[in-house]
Amino acid sequence: QIFHGARVSLLIGFAATLIAVAIGIAVGALAGFYGRAADTALMRVTEAFQTLPNFLLLLLLVAVFGSDLRTI
């Protein structure tokens, strides 16, 4: 019963982890392959996302796309 009740939370957790790993691998591969200029640019983009408050960004996304399970 616990797993049945937590299936949506587990699905979202696994999906978020897979997406984060895929993005991290892609950014790391691009930075490593293209070298210094690409590495600097990608790190600035990454730092810009880290400075945004996560909660406000999520509220904006829900306001724009709605609160469907696929959006979450």
Side-chain angles (χ1 to χ4, degrees), residues 39-63:
D39 182 35
T40 302
L42 290 170
M43 285 307 299
R44 295 303 164 252
V45 171
T46 302
E47 289 171 358
F49 277 110
Q50 289 177 348
T51 60
L52 292 172
N54 290 335
F55 184 68
L56 293 177
L57 181 63
L58 292 175
L59 281 177
L60 176 68
L61 290 174
V62 167

Side-chain angles (χ1 to χ4, degrees), residues 8-33:
V8 174
S9 298
L10 290 171
L11 176 67
I12 291 172
F14 286 131
T17 302
L18 289 175
I19 291 169
V21 167
I23 291 172
I25 288 173
V27 169
L30 287 173
F33 184 75

